Amino acid sequence: SGNVLKTADGKLYILDFDTFCEGIPLYDIALICNQTDYMRLSSDAYEKTREVFARFLPQYRLYHPLSEPEAAALYDAIALSHFTIQATILEIFGLSCVDDAFLDCQLDWLYAWRTMCQAHA
């Protein structure tokens, strides 16, 4: 959501070119609905993400089909997007930009996200 620009006339534009590619629709939905923070996962991140997704999905389905199994995979797609952010950081800045503490923090983030998802399953 940090890459969405709203113009004075109310039009919305997505500005994000570091991972610009064609992919599965669910990945884009995960990026839009994801209400987690990359560095610090708050205890209400799952619920905030669920609320955004609940508002987003009915309108999305007016234009594009999305099966129930695909919709249920949203939270896995968010975990995958977390990995892709890490890959992008390493690709752009190299291995020297991260240390063990950073990688441990990201692994802890993923474990915490999995725990939240399991608690709401």
Side-chain angles (χ1 to χ4, degrees), residues 2-70:
N3 293 336
V4 176
L5 170 70
K6 184 174 183 181
T7 62
D9 62 351
K11 292 182 181 176
L12 298 176
Y13 294 90
I14 297 176
L15 306 171
D16 189 0
F17 300 105
D18 63 325
T19 57
F20 183 78
C21 64
E22 186 174 333
I24 61 170
L26 182 60
Y27 186 76
D28 291 333
I29 295 168
L31 293 177
I32 291 167
C33 297
N34 183 354
Q35 296 299 299
T36 67
D37 181 288
Y38 179 73
M39 293 303 290
R40 189 184 63 80
L41 185 62
S42 65
S43 61
D44 62 350
Y46 182 94
E47 186 57 32
K48 285 182 177 181
T49 298
R50 189 201 61 74
E51 289 170 2
V52 170
F53 186 49
R55 289 193 321 264
F56 176 84
L57 187 58
Q59 294 303 310
Y60 180 86
R61 282 184 166 154
L62 292 176
Y63 301 95
H64 304 285
L66 189 70
S67 69
E68 286 305 316
E70 288 172 315

Side-chain angles (χ1 to χ4, degrees), residues 38-39 85-103:
Y38 179 73
M39 293 303 290
I85 292 170
Q86 292 170 20
T88 300
I89 290 169
L90 293 174
E91 181 180 20
I92 293 171
F93 299 107
L95 283 172
S96 62
C97 77
V98 298
D99 59 12
D100 288 346
F102 173 83
L103 295 174

